[in-house]
Amino acid sequence: MLDTWPLLQNSQFPEIHRSKLEILQVNLGYLCNQTCLHCHVNAGPKRTELMTAQTISDILAVLKQPDVHTLDLTGGAPEMNPLFRELVSEATSMGIKVIDRCNLSILSEPGYEDLTDFLTRHKVEIVASLPCYLEQNVDGQRGKGVYQKSIDGLQKLNQAGYAIDGTGLTLNLVYNPTGPYLPPGQQQLETDYKNFLQQNYQIRFNQLFTITNMPIARFGSSLISQGKFEEYMNLLKDSMNLANMNGLMCKNQLSIDWLGYVYDCDFNQMLKLNLQHPQTHKNLHIRDIIEQDMIDLDIIVADHCFGCTAGHGSSCGGALD
Ligand code: SF4
Ligand code: SF4
């Protein structure tokens, strides 16, 4: 598995610094009902790492900071953490916007029959991965049968009111390329997705987020085994667009791993690029930032960061341009 090598050697990526903290992206654990090729956390049904009650209580304490307005939940399948519903209920009662990065197939897993209803009641924003609107490409990347389960999940969400005008229930989809190339323009692709899904399945959604594949973890390893790692890195570097620097998601958000350790983003988390406590120089933990001001701290950058600035730019909220 590709870990830190060779991305950290002599990176030419420019220095960047944090602005005020507004979004906490929290990884609730690596347990998942799927095992996708592009998964950058290598999640799956046999993973046992799950965030504990103590760490979740530290997360809730940080959510009380005045500028923090959003809790973005990832995994694995975040809903598979037994404390997911407790955390969502507490956070929404504090007025925090909660995003659930949902793989859609979880909505039809045994034991999760009432999940759609729970998400609806708490007005949780759903961000769901559908790397292509064509069945063959989705099943090739995410596993056989995943496309049909995703369609079923989207229809279930629409029936519950998601992406329907006036309900206040938001459903966004995520596209990522199925190979070593950059995503196309977000707006045009969103139109194509909307037309296809509406005409073939009567499915509606709000926005499409295009996300660039990072040359790390499973995707990085597959590039290496195909002898395409260097070519893809060069593509990311050659497509660097400086206009994307201001919108980088690491400026106003932090990523928290299932143990409560703190990183600039989900990708740095996968590369084990821990933020350090400014005084003790130990790995920074969520409990250390309950009252810690993060403004102006350096962001840890390396060559994978070119994945965020290439072409139209990329973040957990899609393109940056
Ligand atoms: S559904 Fe998401 S978390 Fe689960 S294996 Fe696929 S990419 Fe990873
Ligand atoms: S990978 Fe992207 S989000 Fe993460 S630190 Fe680098 S530029 Fe920021």
Side-chain angles (χ1 to χ4, degrees), residues 202-213:
Q202 294 76 52
I203 284 171
R204 298 171 69 173
F205 66 95
N206 296 98
Q207 278 183 278
L208 181 73
F209 298 155
T210 54
I211 297 186
T212 302
N213 284 323

Side-chain angles (χ1 to χ4, degrees), residues 22-25 63 68-72 96-99:
E22 296 178 298
I23 300 170
L24 272 193
Q25 189 176 70
L63 291 178
V68 179
H69 52 68
T70 300
L71 173 65
D72 184 346
I96 297 286
K97 170 174 144 181
V98 177
I99 298 172

